[in-house]
Amino acid sequence: MAQRRGIQLPRVSAMQPVLLMILCMMAINAAYALRQFPGTGGRALLQSSHGNLIVDYIGASGASDLQFTDLPISASLQYILPLSFAIDADASGNTQNGNFNAFWASSLTPQSAQSFKQSNPNVKLLVSLAGFSQFLSDGTTRNVDWYDPPSTDTWISNAVSSISNLVSQYSLDGVDVDYENFPTSATFTTCIGGLISQLKSSGTISIASIAPFGATISIYADLFANFGSSIDYVNYQFYADGLASQSDFISRYNTVAGSFDASKLLPSVEAAGRGLQGSDFIGAAQQLTIPGIMIFNVDNDKGSGFSTEQAVASFLST
């Protein structure tokens, strides 16, 4: 018989319809993930991953027996420890026009800081500015408020000088900004942005981070919009936002990422404190693409044998 010329149809395998159906279902699931997590490319479900950074604040309680060496350090992770806090005030709470003084636990000495860094090359130390409140010399406390200085240039000059001295004294690597009380904020972006920019451009510091939360996000978003190229990490205080579930946490994370750079945004947990704890927090972190995790703080975690830090370290090590 003569061969017919023209197009020959390939044989259809009995498995091909099944494979086609599977591919269609995968496409539908991917589209669903994109709708559920807008702005993340579906990463919260499809491409969850993490870096190996732990940011762990230290010294905020003022406990006189706290030591750098108390914290268990994993060689496979990177650590940033912001010393908490340096405050633009004297021991009586009088503001000093940009002249910052150390008010963290007195046991965290310059000598112990230098020794700890030498023994742990995967650790960076920062100075964290302000915090929520200050313990005064008379035993009382006061809120640490941002105030608009008479001259922004003078404030920046004084701040650069005083922070540079602390950096040299404690062998620090950078600055964290944690102002939380804002009776006014008119000069905040100018002063803090100028401070960070000058410290970085001079090579005094290599790392800068900020620590906003719900009530301060607009103020820090303005700072980030103007000086974001000089800010390496956003240590957002999710535990202060009253989030009750993993889905709430993920939704809030994606919203906050819209005001900052998602590649710089760390989810956070408060040791023995507010917000999601334990497996609930880790479960939320597992669904995000993150550079690492922020913990507040070493002081509060010590009493539990650093259970929060160890759970975070175990997760980030996988």
Side-chain angles (χ1 to χ4, degrees):
M1 179 182 291
Q3 184 178 6
R4 288 188 178 181
R5 297 185 180 278
I7 299 175
Q8 290 186 328
L9 297 175
R11 292 184 178 181
V12 177
S13 166
M15 290 299 295
Q16 284 180 312
V18 176
L19 292 173
L20 181 61
M21 183 179 296
I22 292 173
L23 290 172
C24 289
M25 290 302 297
M26 291 174 65
I28 291 171
N29 287 337
Y32 176 77
L34 289 172
R35 290 198 304 272
Q36 288 295 97
F37 298 94
T40 67
R43 290 178 299 169
L45 285 182
L46 300 179
Q47 299 179 19
S48 60
S49 62
H50 58 76
N52 67 342
L53 173 65
I54 293 180
V55 175
D56 209 346
Y57 287 73
I58 185 169
S61 70
S64 59
D65 62 341
L66 184 68
Q67 301 293 334
F68 288 110
T69 51
D70 291 336
L71 183 65
I73 298 294
S74 170
S76 65
L77 301 176
Q78 299 296 315
Y79 292 81
I80 292 177
L81 306 182
L83 289 164
S84 311
F85 295 94
I87 302 174
D88 174 13
D90 63 17
S92 298
N94 302 305
T95 57
Q96 298 294 294
N97 199 27
N99 289 295
F100 284 83
N101 295 296
F103 286 97
W104 48 76
S106 59
S107 53
L108 304 176
T109 64
Q111 294 75 22
S112 64
Q114 294 165 11
S115 175
F116 186 64
K117 284 188 62 179
Q118 289 172 358
S119 301
N120 299 279
N122 56 331
V123 171
K124 304 292 186 184
L125 298 181
L126 272 57
V127 51
S128 186
L129 307 184
F132 182 83
S133 60
Q134 177 185 1
F135 299 101
L136 302 180
S137 55
D138 63 3
T140 62
T141 62
R142 71 163 187 111
N143 285 354
V144 179
D145 296 337
W146 174 260
Y147 66 93
D148 294 327
S151 166
T152 57
D153 288 341
T154 300
W155 189 96
I156 293 171
S157 177
N158 291 341
V160 167
S161 178
S162 61
I163 296 301
S164 296
N165 288 338
L166 288 173
V167 167
S168 175
Q169 187 179 7
Y170 285 85
S171 300
L172 305 180
D173 301 280
V175 168
D176 174 69
V177 181
D178 187 30
Y179 276 93
E180 302 189 14
N181 303 298
F182 289 93
T184 179
S185 61
T187 60
F188 181 74
T189 291
T190 299
C191 289
I192 296 299
L195 170 64
I196 292 173
S197 297
Q198 289 194 31
L199 289 173
K200 275 210 159 183
S201 63
S202 67
T204 303
I205 64 171
S206 58
I207 302 170
S209 60
I210 56 176
F213 59 99
T216 64
I217 188 170
S218 62
I219 296 170
Y220 280 92
D222 182 71
L223 174 65
F224 194 87
N226 286 278
F227 294 95
S229 61
S230 296
I231 296 171
D232 301 284
Y233 299 106
V234 180
N235 304 325
Y236 189 88
Q237 301 178 54
F238 288 95
Y239 46 81
D241 283 2
L243 305 172
S245 67
Q246 291 185 23
S247 60
D248 288 343
F249 193 102
I250 293 168
S251 176
R252 182 61 174 160
Y253 184 94
N254 291 329
T255 298
V256 172
S259 297
F260 302 100
D261 182 342
S263 68
K264 299 180 178 182
L265 178 61
L266 282 77
S268 59
V269 57
E270 184 176 51
R274 300 162 291 175
L276 295 186
Q277 298 284 310
S279 60
D280 285 334
F281 172 75
I282 296 298
Q286 285 175 329
Q287 301 177 65
L288 297 168
T289 298
I290 54 177
I293 289 174
M294 183 268 270
I295 303 171
F296 189 82
N297 57 39
V298 171
D299 310 40
N300 290 346
D301 209 19
K302 182 179 178 180
S304 67
F306 299 101
S307 58
T308 299
E309 200 282 336
Q310 293 192 40
V312 168
S314 177
F315 164 62
L316 293 180
S317 295
T318 58

